[in-house]
């Protein structure tokens, strides 16, 4: 199955666009690919694991972007409002790492939802988190950030 380019699913642009592509999607679950390149947040070829929260958030964004795309809507921005749980199993990521990113919606609707997400490197979980995300209601421009 082919998926739209990631730029059509996320409102991000380089250098803040990390996700390379959607590799799998079914219902409320998604898997994306990311190869770490020498860009923002990379210091001496390394990335602090806390940055993986953004990678997981972008994976969630790709999931809801697929839904928006299927409804012929432009993807709406989402706002990470809470990370009630996060765990990092590695000390660092390095430029060149090939990562598999997973996310699954656990509850919520099109405005407020919670997701479980994880980052895998070489088939092993390197980071995981629970993310709470808010998106404004369709047609409600009063809550947009300028």
């Amino acid at each position: 199955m082919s998926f739209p380019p990631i730029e059509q699913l996320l409102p991000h642009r380089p250098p803040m666009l990390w996700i390379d592509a959607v590799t799998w999607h079914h219902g409320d679950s998604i898997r994306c690919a990311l190869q770490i390149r020498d860009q923002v947040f990379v210091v001496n070829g390394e990335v602090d694991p806390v940055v993986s929260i953004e990678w997981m958030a972008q994976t969630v964004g790709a999931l809801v972007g697929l839904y928006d795309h299927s409804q012929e809507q432009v993807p709406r921005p989402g706002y990470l409002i809470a990370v009630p749980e996060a765990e990092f199993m590695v000390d660092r990521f390095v430029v060149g790492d090939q990562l598999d990113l997973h996310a699954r919606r656990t509850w919520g609707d099109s405005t407020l939802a919670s997701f479980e997400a994880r980052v895998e490197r070489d088939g092993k979980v390197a980071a995981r988190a629970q993310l709470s995300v808010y998106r404004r209601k369709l047609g409600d421009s009063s809550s947009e950030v300028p």
Side-chain angles (χ1 to χ4, degrees):
M1 174 177 254
S2 69
F3 301 100
I6 201 69
E7 296 84 2
Q8 292 180 15
L9 303 177
L10 291 172
H12 297 68
R13 295 297 170 257
M16 289 305 296
L17 178 63
W18 285 80
I19 305 297
D20 296 323
V22 174
T23 58
W24 177 86
H25 169 251
H26 181 75
D28 285 342
S29 297
I30 192 169
R31 187 169 57 230
C32 295
L34 180 159
Q35 180 178 8
I36 298 178
R37 294 173 294 284
D38 193 4
Q39 59 188 55
V40 66
F41 299 125
V42 175
V43 178
N44 297 323
E46 299 180 349
V47 180
D48 191 285
V50 75
V51 175
S52 67
I53 296 289
E54 175 62 21
W55 304 338
M56 290 182 266
Q58 287 190 24
T59 303
V60 167
L63 177 62
V64 295
L66 280 172
Y67 175 78
D68 288 345
H69 189 268
S70 74
Q71 301 298 309
E72 298 182 6
Q73 299 171 2
V74 174
R76 291 177 282 153
Y79 304 96
L80 182 61
I81 59 172
V83 182
E85 186 177 325
E87 184 177 10
F88 308 104
M89 292 75 162
V90 298
D91 293 331
R92 66 186 173 280
F93 294 97
V94 297
V95 170
D97 277 350
Q98 298 275 350
L99 305 176
D100 291 312
L101 310 171
H102 302 253
R104 180 177 66 87
R105 184 172 70 143
T106 56
W107 65 264
D109 56 29
S110 64
T111 303
L112 183 63
S114 181
F115 299 84
E116 291 179 349
R118 71 181 185 275
V119 176
E120 293 182 0
R121 180 173 62 186
D122 298 326
K124 297 179 183 171
V125 177
R128 64 173 197 77
Q130 181 183 5
L131 309 174
S132 298
V133 177
Y134 167 78
R135 291 191 329 151
R136 66 176 172 79
K137 291 182 182 178
L138 200 56
D140 177 11
S141 60
S142 64
S143 61
E144 277 196 39
V145 174

